Amino acid sequence: MVDTLEFSDIYQEVKGSWNDGRLRFGRQSVVYKSSKTGRVDSIPAAELSQAQWRRVCLGQGIKLTTSTGHIYKYDGFRDTDFEKISEYFKAHYKVELSEKELCVKGWNWGTAKFSGPLLSFEVSDSPVFEIPLASVSQCATGKNEVTLEFHQNDEAEVSLMEVRFYVPPGDAATTEEGPEPVEVFRDSVLSKADVIQATGDAVCIFKELQCLTPRGRYDIRIYPSFLHLHGKTFDYKIPYTTVLRLFLLPHKDQRQMFFMISLDPPIKQGQTRYHFLILLFSKEEDLSLSLNMTEEEVEKRYGGKLSKNMSGSLYEMVSRVMKALVNRKITVPGNFLGHSGTQCITCSYKASSGLLYPLESGFIYIHKPPVHLRFEEVSCVNFARGTTTTRSFDFEIETKQGTQFTFSSIEREEYGKLFDFVTAKKLSIKNRGIKEKKGMKGKDDMLEDSDEDQHDAYLERMKAEGKIREEANDSDDSAEESDESFNPGEEDDDIAEEYDTKKAKLVKERKPRKKKQKDSGAPKRPMTAYFLWLNASRESIKAEHPGISITEISKRAGEMWRELGKEQKEEWDGKAEEAKKDYEVAMREYRESGGGSSAPSKKERKKKGGKNDEKNKKGKSGGGTERASERTTGNDSFKSREFISSEESSSESDRGKGKRKRKGSDEQEEEVALTPPSSDSGSD
């Protein structure tokens, strides 16, 4: 007989959705670990009192009942697993695995039985369906009806909203002696339901704590079964059963502390889901706390973990109380130390700057958005060259589900420490190469500019793209050269005159654009409201984020500007409007005093253009000798007769048709006589 039995792809129903995981039967306990959340449920073998084998929607399932009243259900077994599981239960747990058939008649009239945390609806002593009372969020009664409402799971494709039970009234004699059957049904449901009711006084209250997610300042009221966040706008009630993990992490400046609470399911606000509750504390802030309980009650309920009167740092008080009430360990950073001597790395995720903490069992990123990645769900990691500068690199993490998380803008000095940490945790590295073979783990050769000793896939891709761009530029240059080499004077005389005219029009001279000269003495243009606010807020941003780069300052400032209220933006809009008026007054005075007179106005440029046109007309009327001389000098800006005649003024085109024909024929004869052969012009 084997000591343990392990099964993979075993499913557990959680508020309407099926979560897969691994189930292990051991001599001492039954352990189930969820693949999604990593949560571990352990059932001591001594507490097992009953086991049932049932046919369910995902094959075969097991229902385990403990002596403490808890019920656990696991689905996804095969028919062939029954014999070995039954023998194992008899040998090690002294419990018989019995087979139980479900009723599939489809009847809706039966008996409701409350068995621990389950409500079972049965027909002829066979269960039809079972409702976990922990999933009930509200219970309401009517005249002869009881309505159950359920907690919703965002990940479930279809959610059950409510179920209504008709409870027939009792006899008159029974009603006089005791409560109504409807009230008995409701009380039985509420005794095990997960209905949050703020009854009684809070154990303790923490005033005005700073929350990063959800953002704001909240009063935290600690009740025996749930946590109440009370803010100016929103309130949240968090049952301790939804808390997965607790984290206590030091800030990089060593003056603040993060306290992080992982939640499943998350708290909701509209369409926003908060999977993490993050509190920020100052190390210098102290607190004296007195619990709203007697010494005997504190000792009996918390077993020495808390005392009635406590004092110390505020973050220590909050974490100590939460640890005792939630009954979960607090995760702190391990042995990792970065280049700066701190236990975190500054990086960016989704255009937001934050801190990445390599922990003993995973990575955690704070804070927008918070990310927690366990090593067991990581498929591989990758060190990539930074896309903007060689002084930084990107750290990519790919999960087994195919999701990729990229943490960018990490300083290259952190590479050696992070690589050693990943190697020690035996995580798969995509681009592991010469660095590992040569044993050069402490150096950052991978980020050097020279790539002679190893292959860099990203660099090869960039080189390939560069070659494509160069080829495209070469093709553009060749096209431009072919256009410039076109000379209508060297074309054959046999080509039609209309074709020559079209070709000549294509070789218009491209006049270089004149650069606009700036007037150094003119008043400077006014700033917009955003830049006025940025200049006033830049130092405060640097103080809140020591060591932040210029790029990150711009990103952070953009986020802060979007979050400003309408009244605050109106204040800066008013300042911008005043600056604009001052600029207009200063510009008017500057022009009146003669400033900017060196630059010609539009009217002056128009007059100059008119004079030049008159000169051009005179030059054209001078005969064909000037055009002939231009052609003999081999000037590149040569224009044919047809091109010149097309640009003549409209006044000349109004002349008589006979006169224009005679003049055109004379000019053509002169041009033919004065134009030398193409071979002679080439020798000149």
Side-chain angles (χ1 to χ4, degrees), residues 23-40:
L23 181 66
R24 186 183 69 211
F25 297 108
R27 290 179 177 271
Q28 303 297 327
S29 61
V30 178
V31 179
Y32 179 80
K33 186 172 185 179
S34 173
S35 301
K36 176 192 170 188
T37 61
R39 185 168 184 167
V40 178

Side-chain angles (χ1 to χ4, degrees), residues 14-17 36 151-157 159 265 268:
V14 179
K15 294 183 179 179
S17 65
K36 176 192 170 188
H151 293 289
Q152 299 304 305
N153 190 343
D154 296 333
E155 299 180 359
E157 295 182 359
S159 297
K268 308 173 187 178

Side-chain angles (χ1 to χ4, degrees), residues 255-267:
R255 293 179 296 177
Q256 301 178 94
M257 295 291 292
F258 294 109
F259 184 65
M260 189 171 179
I261 302 174
S262 176
L263 304 173
D264 184 47
I267 55 178

Side-chain angles (χ1 to χ4, degrees), residues 241-499:
T241 54
T242 64
V243 176
L244 284 180
R245 296 175 185 86
L246 302 175
F247 300 91
L248 187 61
L249 307 170
H251 196 281
K252 192 170 185 178
D253 60 9
Q254 301 297 324
R255 293 179 296 177
Q256 301 178 94
M257 295 291 292
F258 294 109
F259 184 65
M260 189 171 179
I261 302 174
S262 176
L263 304 173
D264 184 47
I267 55 178
K268 308 173 187 178
Q269 183 55 53
Q271 296 298 322
T272 307
R273 303 292 183 265
Y274 297 105
H275 292 269
F276 296 92
L277 174 64
I278 303 178
L279 304 174
L280 182 62
F281 300 96
S282 173
K283 285 187 175 182
E284 300 176 354
E285 193 172 358
D286 296 331
L287 176 69
S288 295
L289 183 65
S290 179
L291 301 183
N292 191 18
M293 302 170 68
T294 62
E295 288 284 359
E296 292 78 11
E297 291 176 343
V298 173
E299 181 65 27
K300 181 180 178 180
R301 182 173 295 182
Y302 304 113
K305 296 180 181 179
L306 298 176
S307 58
K308 179 175 175 57
N309 298 310
M310 298 179 292
S311 61
S313 299
L314 179 57
Y315 72 90
E316 291 179 351
M317 294 294 100
V318 174
S319 58
R320 185 176 175 184
V321 171
M322 287 298 299
K323 180 182 178 182
L325 271 71
V326 178
N327 196 22
R328 294 196 179 277
K329 296 180 180 179
I330 296 180
T331 303
V332 297
N335 300 324
F336 175 81
L337 283 179
H339 175 73
S340 59
T342 58
Q343 295 171 310
C344 57
I345 297 173
T346 303
C347 62
S348 296
Y349 176 65
K350 290 186 177 180
S352 297
S353 179
L355 300 173
L356 179 66
Y357 291 84
L359 306 177
E360 292 300 316
S361 59
F363 296 98
I364 193 163
Y365 173 80
I366 295 179
H367 81 101
K368 198 173 183 181
V371 177
H372 180 223
L373 299 171
R374 294 174 285 115
F375 289 153
E376 58 194 37
E377 61 180 340
V378 173
S379 173
C380 61
V381 299
N382 182 33
F383 294 88
R385 185 183 298 272
T387 56
T388 56
T389 175
T390 58
R391 296 190 60 83
S392 64
F393 67 95
D394 298 346
F395 182 57
E396 301 171 353
I397 302 176
E398 186 174 341
T399 64
K400 294 178 180 178
Q401 287 77 23
T403 308
Q404 182 170 316
F405 298 86
T406 303
F407 303 96
S408 58
S409 303
I410 304 177
E411 296 180 358
R412 62 184 300 173
E413 290 80 9
E414 303 285 0
Y415 172 75
K417 300 284 187 180
L418 187 57
F419 186 90
D420 292 343
F421 175 83
V422 171
T423 305
K425 296 301 178 182
K426 299 180 180 179
L427 297 178
S428 175
I429 302 177
K430 266 189 179 180
N431 53 357
R432 187 193 301 269
I434 303 299
K435 181 180 178 65
E436 183 184 11
K437 295 179 182 178
K438 294 184 178 181
M440 303 172 63
K441 296 183 180 180
K443 300 179 182 179
D444 52 351
D445 294 344
M446 183 180 176
L447 300 177
E448 294 293 338
D449 295 336
S450 176
D451 294 317
E452 296 176 356
D453 58 344
Q454 65 180 23
H455 174 74
D456 192 333
Y458 178 79
L459 183 61
E460 293 297 331
R461 189 167 72 250
M462 292 294 101
K463 288 181 178 179
E465 293 178 0
K467 289 181 180 179
I468 294 173
R469 286 195 296 269
E470 289 179 1
E471 292 174 0
N473 293 336
D474 293 341
S475 63
D476 294 342
D477 295 341
S478 63
E480 292 177 2
E481 291 174 0
S482 63
D483 290 341
E484 292 174 359
S485 62
F486 174 76
N487 192 346
E490 297 177 0
E491 296 292 328
D492 295 337
D493 296 335
D494 297 336
I495 300 176
E497 183 177 350
E498 292 180 0
Y499 180 78

Side-chain angles (χ1 to χ4, degrees), residues 525-538 557-558 560-562 564-581:
R525 291 184 174 275
M527 292 186 180
T528 62
Y530 168 73
F531 283 103
L532 290 173
W533 171 85
L534 177 60
N535 288 342
S537 307
R538 183 178 281 108
M560 295 173 64
W561 176 255
R562 287 192 295 270
L564 283 181
K566 184 177 180 181
E567 297 180 356
Q568 293 175 306
K569 287 187 177 181
E570 287 178 353
E571 177 185 351
W572 292 101
D573 289 337
K575 293 182 180 180
E577 190 66 27
E578 293 178 3
K580 184 178 179 181
K581 292 179 180 178

